[in-house]
């Protein structure tokens, strides 16, 4: 589709937004949202004729790109057939979405509780774990994001939690492995793994194993920095959960549905949690949908006893029809394999080559279509390019980097001192190379802020 240039229409969209839309996570007067006119595949465009290659997949959700015609058609067809129906009934789109998801989730995660998105999936997973164990506490990682609702944001580790943390949520944070900024003075992945597991077991012992309902982890922490855990870590957490009767929850809201080059990141580590949350990629975010995949043991807890939770739109037919079509498209078009192949053959070598030439790149890490560049002032000291949670002038180097990327036609994902490379899993080799070239130019701007 060719972008239509219509600055007046863009100005009207922007004016109404500024007058009436209250945006998330933002100081309302300090933001300047781009008015978007359209999107297709890996690109979107504004009303002034500027077109951007989207290295963010929205908020890491358009795993099959924008406006996939088969998914758009499935939504239209479902709207014409049965747009909505209450959750207590068996509805074809819902049944089929649950079947297709359960067929792909690891182990015996075969029952699907549908939610409207990721945060409420985490809320419900934790509620299930608390009722299943009869215990109150949740352990989660400092470097994590699990959603914006009250419980999910308290499980979150990043600074977005602080404003909502009254210390009454029953959540205890611990350090998960991250060798580049090790909390354990580790020098190898194996040391980091062993020491992180030892730290978790000590945390469990000192909190009291009998008080802990769940350990909640992102399989690969996403927003907090795409930190692929060392081999053996998640299997070690699984063992600790089994040892102490704790429910193991893996949050695959961002890492799931092809992002890592597998259907689920858990497949990379051959680990099966007791509960697994998903959202985003399940239907590429075309209609809001999330959920919890529930193991046999936990499903049994609610076999004869009602599960005390629900949502008006649980398993909304329009969202479920989008999920069915998305999963079909992913299977038929080899989208998961594309993420693995373009990731390994184009993105990874391209990023490593950029790191060799740009002193601002401290580390490249990731897998599949899920990559982070850690930008630093100094490679030796690893001092971040901007301080933790920087805003305003202190964040100027990252703002300059992002502006340079946009000037070169690339919409970058920027979080603190990192840029994440998370394009649609359908990205072509040519598009990936175009994005890498724009990143190259933007990193030259970041380099100006190194010592
Ligand atoms: C790992 C993870 N969990 C949960 C969420 C929350 O999902 P939602 O924004 O759909 O509520 C996110 C969102 O980015 C996420 O990345």
């Amino acid at each position: 589709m060719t972008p239509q240039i219509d600055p007046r229409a863009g100005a009207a969209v922007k004016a109404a937004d500024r007058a009436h839309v209250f945006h998330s996570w933002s100081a309302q007067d300090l933001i300047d949202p781009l008015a978007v006119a359209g999107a297709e595949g890996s690109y979107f465009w504004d009303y002034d004729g500027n077109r951007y290659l989207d290295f963010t997949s929205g908020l890491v959700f358009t795993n099959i790109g924008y406006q996939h015609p088969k998914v758009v058609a499935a939504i239209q067809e479902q709207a014409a057939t049965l747009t909505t129906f209450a959750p207590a009934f068996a509805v074809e789109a819902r049944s089929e979405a649950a079947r297709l998801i359960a067929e792909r989730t690891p182990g015996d995660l075969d029952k699907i509780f549908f939610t409207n998105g990721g945060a409420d999936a985490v809320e419900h997973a934790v509620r299930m774990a608390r009722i299943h164990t009869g215990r109150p506490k949740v352990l989660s990682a400092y470097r994590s994001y699990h959603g914006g609702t009250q419980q999910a944001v308290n499980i979150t580790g990043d600074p977005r939690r602080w404003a909502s943390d009254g210390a009454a949520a029953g959540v205890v944070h611990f350090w998960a492995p991250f060798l580049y900024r090790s909390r354990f003075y580790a020098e190898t992945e194996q040391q980091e793994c062993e020491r992180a597991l030892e730290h978790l077991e000590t945390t469990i012992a000192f909190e009291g194993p009998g008080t802990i309902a769940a350990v909640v982890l992102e399989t690969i922490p996403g927003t907090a920095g795409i930190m692929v855990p060392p081999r053996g870590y998640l299997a070690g957490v699984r063992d600790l959960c089994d040892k102490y009767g704790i429910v193991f929850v893996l949050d695959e809201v961002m890492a799931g549905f092809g992002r890592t080059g597998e259907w689920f990141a858990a497949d990379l580590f051959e680990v099966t949690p007791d509960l697994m949350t998903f959202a985003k990629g399940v239907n590429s975010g075309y209609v809001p949908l999330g959920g919890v995949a529930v193991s046999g043991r936990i499903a049994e807890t609610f076999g004869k006893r009602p599960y005390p939770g629900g949502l008006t739109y649980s398993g909304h037919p329009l969202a479920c029809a989008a999920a069915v079509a998305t999963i079909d498209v992913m299977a038929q078009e080899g989208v998961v394999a594309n993420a693995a192949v373009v990731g390994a053959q184009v993105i990874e070598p391209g990023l490593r080559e950029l790191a060799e030439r740009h002193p601002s790149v401290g580390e490249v890490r990731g897998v599949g279509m899920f990559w982070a560049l850690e930008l630093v002032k100094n490679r030796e000291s690893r001092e971040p390019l901007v301080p933790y949670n920087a805003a305003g002038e202190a964040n100027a180097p990252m703002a300059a980097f992002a502006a340079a990327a946009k000037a070169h036609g690339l919409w970058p994902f920027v979080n603190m001192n990192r840029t994440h490379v998370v394009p649609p899993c359908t990205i072509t080799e040519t598009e990936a190379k175009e994005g890498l070239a724009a990143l190259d130019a933007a990193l030259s701007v970041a380099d100006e802020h190194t010592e």
Side-chain angles (χ1 to χ4, degrees), residues 30 386-387 389-400:
L30 303 183
V386 296
N389 206 27
E393 202 39 46
N395 195 46
M398 288 306 293

Side-chain angles (χ1 to χ4, degrees), residues 109-178:
L109 298 170
D110 289 337
K111 292 263 183 169
I112 309 299
F113 178 77
F114 285 113
T115 63
N116 301 329
D120 43 350
V122 172
E123 299 272 336
H124 283 281
V126 165
R127 190 180 304 179
M128 287 177 192
R130 283 183 166 140
I131 295 169
H132 176 77
T133 58
R135 301 171 177 179
K137 283 184 200 159
V138 176
L139 302 193
S140 65
Y142 275 112
R143 294 189 179 100
S144 70
Y145 181 71
H146 293 287
T149 54
Q150 190 61 23
Q151 181 67 61
V153 86
N154 271 276
I155 294 169
T156 289
D158 90 14
R160 281 177 284 180
R161 176 185 85 251
W162 299 343
S164 304
D165 189 350
V171 181
V172 175
H173 289 94
F174 64 94
W175 295 103
F178 178 30

Side-chain angles (χ1 to χ4, degrees), residues 34-58:
L34 182 78
V36 173
E40 192 173 83
S42 305
Y43 295 88
F44 64 89
W45 50 88
D46 65 15
Y47 291 85
D48 296 327
N50 300 305
R51 188 167 170 266
Y52 299 97
L53 175 61
D54 185 3
F55 258 26
T56 72
S57 298

Side-chain angles (χ1 to χ4, degrees), residues 384-425:
L385 195 68
V386 296
Y388 188 68
N389 206 27
E393 202 39 46
N395 195 46
M398 288 306 293
F401 161 81
K406 289 172 193 173
H408 285 85
L410 179 78
W411 201 268
F413 187 107
V414 174
N415 185 285
M416 297 198 199
N417 68 312
R418 300 178 311 274
T419 187
H420 295 182
V421 174
V422 284
C425 300

Side-chain angles (χ1 to χ4, degrees), residues 129-130 133-140 170 172 174 200-216 241 244-248:
R130 283 183 166 140
T133 58
R135 301 171 177 179
K137 283 184 200 159
V138 176
L139 302 193
S140 65
V172 175
F174 64 94
L200 176 56
E201 186 158 23
T202 307
T203 306
I204 291 169
F206 277 67
E207 286 298 329
T211 71
I212 301 166
V215 171
V216 180
C241 287
Y244 295 109
I246 296 168
V247 171
F248 187 19

Side-chain angles (χ1 to χ4, degrees), residues 59 116-122 145-149 152 160 218 220-223 251-255 277 279-280 289:
L59 285 174
N116 301 329
D120 43 350
V122 172
Y145 181 71
H146 293 287
T149 54
R160 281 177 284 180
E218 290 170 81
I220 298 176
T223 312
D251 182 346
E252 291 248 359
V253 166
M254 190 177 279
T277 57
K280 298 191 189 264
L289 183 68

